[in-house]
Amino acid sequence: MQPPTKDLDEEERRELDEKARRGETVIPGGTGGKSLEAQEHLAEGRSRGGQTRKEQIGTEGYQEMGRKGGLSTSNESGGERAPKEGIPIDESKYKA
């Protein structure tokens, strides 16, 4: 997978690198990277990790995990919140 910045010229890369070094996220999925290159590597690894998990548990299971995770708040997990909201979560779809 090529990083989304592969087609940028040197000046554009330098500008993005400066922003990244100031703490801005310049690459989707690159949060936490301290340089443009670091953010590119983080984004690539996160994407690959998600794809691997999806292959392990299947599309349905991956979607079900996302549904549960999307319900979580700082006060309670998605598993605690789903029944309160009346949202069914079928954990059998993603438990191996």
Side-chain angles (χ1 to χ4, degrees), residues 32-72:
K34 304 295 183 205
S35 68
L36 177 59
E37 186 177 5
Q39 289 191 20
E40 288 171 336
H41 289 292
L42 282 167
E44 185 179 337
R46 288 177 177 146
S47 174
R48 194 176 313 129
Q51 186 62 38
T52 299
R53 188 71 176 136
K54 186 176 179 180
E55 290 167 4
Q56 290 171 340
I57 63 175
T59 300
E60 264 191 282
Y62 195 70
Q63 289 173 338
E64 202 70 9
M65 280 183 67
R67 186 174 294 119
K68 183 177 177 182
L71 291 170
S72 66

